[in-house]
Amino acid sequence: MTLPALTLSLQFARLTPTDAAAHRAALPRHRVMRWIRHALDRPAELTVRIVDTDEGHALNRDYRHKDYATNVLTFDYAQSPVVVADLVLCAPVVAREAAEQGKTLQAHYAHLLVHGTLHAQGWDHETSAEDAEAMEAREVAILAALGFANPYA
């Protein structure tokens, strides 16, 4: 299977040294590239930014009008012919959720990167129950192909 081309900028912003080390270890560039490329159906130019709670909260408040830090935000700028987007993941939220769900940090990041990449291509789970089911099924299939368990089970 030939995977779509991907230009990736992977950024780690203002994390404590301890947090930065753990999150960098969970996100080696070659794996991030692989996870995202499996979720793409066309070429893409993506920035993945790993942020602290303050930046995650500010972005979610300013752009979604939700006053808390969330796990992943997708800012999509173009979907065709090339997907152009920023995926912002809040490291402390991702770590907390992984622990609560009994997942490795890497498995949770893989899920959220696939989820965000699907959003960047126009998938949406908030429009209807059918759309949510379709997006979830697509995520589960992609993650299974990558060797990860169903994140919703």
Side-chain angles (χ1 to χ4, degrees):
M1 169 169 89
T2 302
L3 298 174
L6 171 62
T7 301
L8 175 67
S9 174
L10 180 58
Q11 304 172 358
F12 293 85
R14 295 186 301 167
L15 301 177
T16 67
T18 303
D19 282 347
H23 291 273
R24 284 181 187 274
L27 292 164
R29 184 179 177 76
H30 70 282
R31 288 199 178 136
V32 171
M33 291 279 294
R34 183 171 180 258
W35 302 334
I36 290 172
R37 288 181 72 206
H38 273 78
L40 288 170
D41 61 16
R42 57 191 161 279
E45 298 173 4
L46 300 179
T47 296
V48 172
R49 184 170 171 84
I50 311 303
V51 301
D52 64 7
T53 303
D54 290 343
E55 186 172 347
H57 186 171
L59 289 168
N60 201 31
R61 180 192 63 232
D62 294 349
Y63 291 95
R64 294 184 64 229
H65 311 291
K66 301 196 180 217
D67 198 23
Y68 58 89
T70 191
N71 52 17
V72 61
L73 293 166
T74 301
F75 297 94
D76 58 325
Y77 309 112
Q79 293 180 355
S80 184
V82 175
V83 176
V84 180
D86 295 334
L87 305 180
V88 180
L89 294 98
C90 185
V93 173
V94 174
R96 185 190 76 239
E97 289 178 349
E100 290 171 356
Q101 296 170 20
K103 298 177 185 173
T104 66
L105 187 58
Q106 191 168 74
H108 198 39
Y109 267 124
H111 175 216
L112 294 173
L113 287 166
V114 165
H115 183 88
T117 300
L118 291 178
H119 272 305
Q121 296 172 98
W123 291 78
D124 194 340
H125 54 86
E126 296 181 351
T127 48
S128 71
E130 294 79 20
D131 289 346
E133 289 174 18
M135 186 170 176
E136 183 176 311
R138 182 74 180 125
E139 289 173 35
V140 169
I142 292 166
L143 290 165
L146 291 167
F148 291 102
N150 180 342
Y152 298 104

